[in-house]
Amino acid sequence: MDDDMLADQRRLVELVEDEGWDVTDLELSAYDSPWADEDDPEATVTITARKPYETADGEDEDDEDNPFRLK
């Protein structure tokens, strides 16, 4: 894994957090290109983030009376 990949990862996290999301998990996978004609390494970034939303009446979406609340 090189410094450019890590810098990109940090920048992606900053962008997500700047939009109000709380990053809860992050995975960066670096690997050699699977394409025979490319020798450059590639990376994938998986970001898990959460963001609470309020309803129109100002109550949190996790309200006990919310029929769409996951149990």
Side-chain angles (χ1 to χ4, degrees), residues 14-69:
E14 288 172 3
L15 289 170
V16 170
E17 289 178 338
D18 286 349
E19 292 297 318
W21 291 83
D22 180 27
V23 175
T24 59
D25 191 33
L26 180 71
E27 179 182 331
L28 176 67
S29 300
Y31 49 89
D32 290 330
S33 175
W35 309 109
D37 59 343
E38 294 183 28
D39 293 329
D40 295 328
E42 296 182 357
T44 58
V45 176
T46 304
I47 298 174
T48 304
R50 65 180 296 274
K51 182 177 179 180
Y53 288 89
E54 291 188 10
T55 60
D57 61 6
E59 292 184 18
D60 195 334
E61 285 288 331
D62 288 334
D63 185 12
E64 292 292 325
D65 296 328
N66 183 351
F68 301 107
R69 187 174 143 264

